[in-house]
Amino acid sequence: MRKLLTMVAAFAAMTASAQFGVPRENPTVPSVVAEVEDFKPATTNQGGKQYPMVNSQRMVRAQISAPKATFVGLDIAGKIYEMTKDENGVWTGTSAPQDEGFHYYQLNIDGASVPDPGSKYYYGASRWGSGIDIPAADESFYTVKNVPQGSINEVYYWSTVQEKMRHGYIYLPNEYYTNPTKKFPVLYLQHGMGENETGWSAQGKTGIIMDNLIAEGKAVPFIIFMDNGLDTRRPGDPDPAEMRRPGFGSPRAGGPQGQRPDGPRPGGPRPGGFGNFFEAFQQILLTDIIPMVEKNYRVIADTEHRAMAGLSMGGMQTRGITLANPTTFAYVGMFSGGTFSVDDLKDAADFKKTNKVLFMSAGGKETRMAEGDGSVGKAAENLKALGFNAHSYVSPETAHEWQTWRRSLHEFAQLIFK
Amino acid sequence: MRKLLTMVAAFAAMTASAQFGVPRENPTVPSVVAEVEDFKPATTNQGGKQYPMVNSQRMVRAQISAPKATFVGLDIAGKIYEMTKDENGVWTGTSAPQDEGFHYYQLNIDGASVPDPGSKYYYGASRWGSGIDIPAADESFYTVKNVPQGSINEVYYWSTVQEKMRHGYIYLPNEYYTNPTKKFPVLYLQHGMGENETGWSAQGKTGIIMDNLIAEGKAVPFIIFMDNGLDTRRPGDPDPAEMRRPGFGSPRAGGPQGQRPDGPRPGGPRPGGFGNFFEAFQQILLTDIIPMVEKNYRVIADTEHRAMAGLSMGGMQTRGITLANPTTFAYVGMFSGGTFSVDDLKDAADFKKTNKVLFMSAGGKETRMAEGDGSVGKAAENLKALGFNAHSYVSPETAHEWQTWRRSLHEFAQLIFK
């Protein structure tokens, strides 16, 4: 458990540090690259809104009217870009080039961090706020097309563990509707730290990716259930607000990616902390979610037709839950969530007998997971030598962000239930 | 058509004028009622966020950190309430008492109108932005309960009229899943001006209202399709940005609710304007939406099992479309959308033969529709005399807002398909 806590804290820090500029530590920066004036409204804008825009260099240009403000900044990818005011009180500013794909961002108006009124809003970095999609060379795989459509359905259900109604989303493939007697396999798919059950369908574009893959014959039709892996407080558990105390998950002296020094936490493990996220979510998944899905939907309710995957913290949850329940899931995926090691699996006879695909991925800019001895590629190689059907994938030129995870799902979905 | 345009413009003005303070015309106001200090976080807050809060007097208290700002205001129900700064740069302010139910609001920071980072976001007033639910005495009917759950499903489909993929939501009752051979009636349910296809499920709480009504045996299970009645531009139609030019739909000299003087618009009817919203949406509904729903879902595809209703502009669309297609829908509802008149229906033999329920509602504070000769009650009385099964409903103490429409759906759903 100590190792798990340490790794999860590292991912939390990575996620948090990747998000927003902190003025005290990261002074505002000017845009230094010459800008090509071919800016177009972002696809993630609210209907009819011109800003934010993106140009062919993948720079983001934001604009807002704030006549009485003395400072307005565009806060994206850990930096705040100063914006400038025109004679009408309209502020405009442009970022450096961004990676392809989806990024959270916000505006800073005289010290207030607020959503940009031009963008649509997404849940991440522990808040609903602005997001922007930077066009990508491979965006076709997550673009809505006129192919047979499944649907993302909003689901409320009773949790016996938490004694309350919970909320999740289920993807049902087109054939669920057109072939009313057929039963389907199910993937349980989890989000990362600071995100919630909306992430995979909104930022992740799960339904669109699956509809396109199934239409091309590249994936078999299966159901996906997406739940909230951080909503895990049980009656009697301590208040999770404790988890949000200042400094939690923030970079420490442990290294460049902000991991904590290995060892006991000051004061020891905190009840209701990451142990809660792991153990309580495991209990909710096995007691409430899977039985509910298998009761309410036409599901092939056996191990060979059950998969679990997740991104970042959701990948850690996947690793922990599948190791602790080795005969429950035949297909396992960790996206930017670290790796399964030879130590994890060399004596795991039940896991090995059960597992049909073990998939590990990372963004190419997540160097510790993408390159070298700790990489997903090296881990897959080691696990193949143990006899596993292990796969790895590195998303070109992306970091710990949604483009990595869209691509990871796109790869993983083609491997499972076949 | 001139009457339709005039009425729709009036509703647009009502909706627009109900929303946000305009500093030039509505100077900021202090809160003058003594505040009872029993404020609690709003149910519409983002997870873990303490502000905004609501007290037992239904006052809203907002708070935001903006250390360098010189003015911060809470902009709700057409007024801006000045907030005050503490020694840490945190601004706090409180509104006058608000009506029960849902309201759009925003913050103003040094002249910038932005969403409150504490609230969840909703689409209305032509933007994604903050919303707040004020507790209501009757909120049980739209509260999630442990009853058999249907689901709200996101649907993409091809529009032959627009030659693009469209986006809507479908409510499927619990029995759609548990009784896999049963076919169901369908209600086509439309939002108002400045809103979109998300309004009825998010602010309107359609799925929750229906699940509760069906569980209590007060409504029969039926399907609801919710689409975007403003996304109506066809190939060759003019740019709808024209509709958003300054001054459109804003209050004029015509009267206290800002309706336009009757008569031709300056320059005549504008192509792509309200005529587009009516005629193009009619075409999309009849050509694309209804055939898609009847093809893809288990639907009883006849007039007796087809209903249309809408709020405000959606009510006007309902009135226009059902009058123009008198044998298509057996059940018709207008919520805060005006009335059917005796002139409309006295010679409408096909409509009369087809119609089984004609429902008209308004908020009690929408005085022109709630009281007197122009009221929904008077209209229902007149139509009953013509032989119609006409019903009216007035929502106590609510205005042109979602609490009126939640209650209207709750009433209408109990009358139809029986």
Side-chain angles (χ1 to χ4, degrees):
Chain A
M1 180 53 85
R2 178 184 300 172
K3 187 180 172 195
L4 175 68
L5 289 174
T6 307
M7 293 184 69
V8 175
F11 292 119
M14 288 163 61
T15 305
S17 64
Q19 300 308 340
F20 299 123
V22 180
R24 286 165 304 174
E25 296 169 17
N26 300 320
T28 59
V29 291
S31 174
V32 289
V33 182
E35 296 158 16
V36 176
E37 288 300 330
D38 57 358
F39 286 88
K40 295 191 180 71
T43 57
T44 35
N45 285 7
Q46 298 184 26
K49 296 286 176 74
Q50 292 298 299
Y51 287 87
M53 292 188 169
V54 187
N55 75 355
S56 57
Q57 298 161 293
R58 304 195 305 268
M59 294 168 146
V60 174
R61 179 172 288 171
Q63 186 174 91
I64 189 169
S65 169
K68 289 180 279 182
T70 55
F71 174 86
V72 180
L74 164 61
D75 184 354
I76 186 167
K79 291 190 174 130
I80 297 180
Y81 298 89
E82 262 193 89
M83 295 163 69
T84 54
K85 184 158 81 165
D86 71 11
E87 65 280 12
N88 300 314
V90 175
W91 297 72
T92 306
T94 306
S95 79
Q98 302 295 315
D99 290 345
E100 291 187 342
F102 182 92
H103 310 285
Y104 302 114
Y105 79 101
Q106 58 192 9
L107 299 181
N108 186 300
I109 302 175
D110 282 343
S113 288
V114 293
D116 180 347
S119 81
K120 289 185 185 163
Y121 304 126
Y122 302 86
Y123 193 80
S126 299
R127 98 293 182 241
W128 284 97
S130 291
I132 188 164
D133 232 316
I134 308 293
D138 59 348
E139 66 192 9
S140 173
F141 82 83
Y142 55 86
T143 300
V144 177
K145 295 173 188 165
N146 186 14
V147 299
Q149 296 286 315
S151 68
I152 299 283
N153 303 353
E154 188 176 13
V155 179
Y156 291 98
Y157 63 96
W158 179 253
S159 165
T160 57
V161 173
Q162 294 184 295
E163 297 175 8
K164 70 165 192 173
M165 295 297 286
R166 283 178 63 89
H167 185 244
Y169 291 88
I170 194 165
Y171 167 75
L172 297 179
N174 179 266
E175 200 182 354
Y176 194 89
Y177 296 97
T178 59
N179 192 343
T181 56
K182 183 170 172 175
K183 295 184 172 187
F184 296 84
V186 184
L187 164 63
Y188 296 87
L189 183 62
Q190 289 303 124
H191 60 83
M193 177 65 60
E195 296 171 338
N196 69 12
E197 69 272 26
T198 64
W200 268 112
S201 55
Q203 298 95 301
K205 300 195 177 260
T206 296
I208 301 166
I209 291 170
M210 290 305 304
D211 287 342
N212 289 343
L213 277 177
I214 294 167
E216 293 170 38
K218 291 182 176 170
V220 302
F222 57 85
I223 292 170
I224 303 178
F225 199 83
M226 296 158 277
D227 210 295
N228 189 322
L230 290 165
D231 175 5
T232 57
R233 190 182 183 196
R234 296 162 294 194
D237 280 348
D239 188 340
E242 165 69 7
M243 297 295 296
R244 289 189 293 271
R245 69 181 167 79
F248 179 82
S250 60
R252 292 275 184 95
Q257 297 203 27
Q259 68 271 33
R260 293 173 185 282
D262 208 345
R265 302 172 56 91
R270 209 180 309 108
F274 276 118
N276 184 290
F277 292 162
F278 171 73
E279 291 152 7
F281 184 66
Q282 173 180 249
Q283 189 187 359
I284 291 163
L285 179 66
L286 298 177
T287 310
D288 292 325
I289 298 174
I290 294 177
M292 181 277 293
V293 169
E294 295 185 350
K295 174 172 179 283
N296 291 354
Y297 299 90
R298 298 195 314 274
V299 165
I300 311 174
D302 63 26
T303 300
E304 290 72 42
H305 298 89
R306 205 181 285 128
M308 184 171 184
L311 73 90
S312 192
M313 180 199 76
M316 296 302 305
Q317 289 176 314
T318 298
R319 178 178 167 281
I321 289 171
T322 58
L323 286 173
N325 302 274
T327 62
T328 305
F329 304 91
Y331 300 89
V332 178
M334 292 179 84
F335 311 158
S336 300
T339 58
F340 283 87
S341 70
V342 169
D343 278 352
D344 287 334
L345 294 177
K346 65 179 189 299
D347 301 318
D350 284 347
F351 189 102
K352 187 172 172 185
K353 198 168 60 185
T354 302
N355 186 267
K356 293 185 181 301
V357 170
L358 197 51
F359 177 91
M360 296 164 290
S361 69
K365 294 188 176 182
E366 300 185 273
T367 49
R368 290 197 309 177
M369 286 189 276
E371 299 168 11
D373 281 352
S375 70
V376 293
K378 182 68 179 170
E381 195 179 298
N382 294 339
L383 294 172
K384 276 183 196 162
L386 271 189
F388 280 88
N389 182 15
H391 295 254
S392 68
Y393 170 72
V394 174
S395 163
E397 297 292 321
T398 60
H400 198 71
E401 293 201 79
W402 275 100
Q403 192 72 356
T404 300
W405 308 321
R406 291 168 176 169
R407 289 172 176 167
S408 294
L409 175 63
H410 182 250
E411 297 295 317
F412 182 62
Q414 298 182 53
L415 296 173
I416 66 178
F417 305 129
K418 283 183 169 173
Chain B
M1 179 53 89
R2 177 186 299 172
K3 187 178 172 196
L4 176 69
L5 288 174
T6 307
M7 292 185 71
V8 174
F11 292 119
M14 288 163 62
T15 307
S17 64
Q19 300 307 340
F20 299 122
V22 180
R24 286 164 304 173
E25 297 169 15
N26 301 320
T28 59
V29 291
S31 174
V32 289
V33 182
E35 296 158 15
V36 176
E37 287 299 329
D38 57 358
F39 286 88
K40 295 191 181 71
T43 57
T44 34
N45 285 7
Q46 298 184 27
K49 296 285 175 73
Q50 293 297 298
Y51 287 88
M53 292 188 169
V54 186
N55 75 355
S56 56
Q57 299 161 293
R58 304 195 304 267
M59 294 167 145
V60 174
R61 180 172 287 171
Q63 186 173 90
I64 189 169
S65 170
K68 290 180 278 182
T70 55
F71 174 86
V72 180
L74 164 61
D75 184 352
I76 187 167
K79 293 193 173 126
I80 298 179
Y81 298 89
E82 263 192 88
M83 297 165 68
T84 55
K85 183 158 83 165
D86 72 10
E87 65 280 12
N88 299 315
V90 175
W91 296 73
T92 306
T94 306
S95 79
Q98 302 295 313
D99 290 345
E100 291 186 343
F102 182 92
H103 310 285
Y104 301 114
Y105 78 102
Q106 59 192 10
L107 299 181
N108 185 300
I109 303 175
D110 283 344
S113 289
V114 292
D116 180 348
S119 82
K120 289 184 186 164
Y121 305 126
Y122 302 85
Y123 193 80
S126 300
R127 96 292 182 242
W128 284 97
S130 291
I132 188 164
D133 233 316
I134 308 292
D138 59 347
E139 66 192 10
S140 172
F141 82 82
Y142 54 86
T143 300
V144 176
K145 295 174 189 166
N146 186 15
V147 298
Q149 297 287 314
S151 68
I152 299 282
N153 303 353
E154 188 176 14
V155 179
Y156 291 97
Y157 63 95
W158 179 253
S159 166
T160 58
V161 174
Q162 294 184 296
E163 297 175 10
K164 69 164 192 174
M165 295 298 285
R166 283 179 63 90
H167 184 245
Y169 291 88
I170 194 165
Y171 166 76
L172 297 179
N174 179 266
E175 199 182 354
Y176 194 90
Y177 297 97
T178 60
N179 193 344
T181 57
K182 184 170 171 175
K183 294 183 173 188
F184 295 84
V186 185
L187 164 64
Y188 296 88
L189 183 62
Q190 289 303 124
H191 60 83
M193 177 65 59
E195 296 171 339
N196 69 13
E197 69 273 27
T198 65
W200 268 112
S201 57
Q203 299 96 299
K205 301 198 178 256
T206 298
I208 302 167
I209 291 170
M210 290 305 305
D211 287 342
N212 289 344
L213 277 177
I214 294 167
E216 293 170 38
K218 291 181 177 170
V220 302
F222 57 85
I223 292 170
I224 303 178
F225 199 83
M226 296 157 278
D227 210 295
N228 189 323
L230 290 165
D231 175 6
T232 57
R233 190 182 183 194
R234 295 163 294 195
D237 280 348
D239 189 339
E242 164 68 9
M243 297 295 295
R244 289 188 294 271
R245 68 180 168 77
F248 179 81
S250 60
R252 292 276 184 94
Q257 296 203 29
Q259 69 271 33
R260 291 172 186 281
D262 209 344
R265 301 170 57 92
R270 208 180 310 108
F274 276 117
N276 185 289
F277 291 163
F278 171 73
E279 291 153 6
F281 184 66
Q282 173 180 249
Q283 188 187 1
I284 292 163
L285 179 66
L286 298 177
T287 310
D288 292 326
I289 298 174
I290 295 178
M292 181 277 292
V293 170
E294 296 185 349
K295 174 172 180 284
N296 290 355
Y297 299 89
R298 298 196 315 275
V299 165
I300 311 174
D302 62 25
T303 300
E304 290 72 44
H305 297 88
R306 205 181 284 129
M308 185 171 183
L311 74 90
S312 192
M313 181 199 76
M316 296 303 304
Q317 288 177 315
T318 298
R319 179 178 166 280
I321 290 171
T322 58
L323 286 173
N325 301 274
T327 61
T328 305
F329 304 92
Y331 300 89
V332 177
M334 292 178 83
F335 311 157
S336 300
T339 58
F340 283 86
S341 70
V342 169
D343 278 351
D344 286 335
L345 294 177
K346 65 178 192 296
D347 300 319
D350 285 346
F351 189 100
K352 188 174 172 184
K353 197 168 59 183
T354 301
N355 186 267
K356 293 185 182 302
V357 170
L358 196 51
F359 177 92
M360 296 163 289
S361 70
K365 295 188 175 183
E366 299 184 276
T367 49
R368 292 197 307 175
M369 284 188 277
E371 299 167 12
D373 281 351
S375 71
V376 292
K378 183 68 179 167
E381 196 180 298
N382 294 340
L383 294 172
K384 275 182 197 161
L386 271 189
F388 279 90
N389 182 15
H391 294 255
S392 68
Y393 170 73
V394 175
S395 164
E397 297 292 320
T398 60
H400 199 73
E401 293 201 79
W402 276 100
Q403 192 72 356
T404 300
W405 307 321
R406 291 168 176 169
R407 290 173 176 167
S408 295
L409 175 63
H410 182 250
E411 297 295 319
F412 182 62
Q414 298 182 54
L415 297 173
I416 65 177
F417 304 128
K418 284 184 169 173

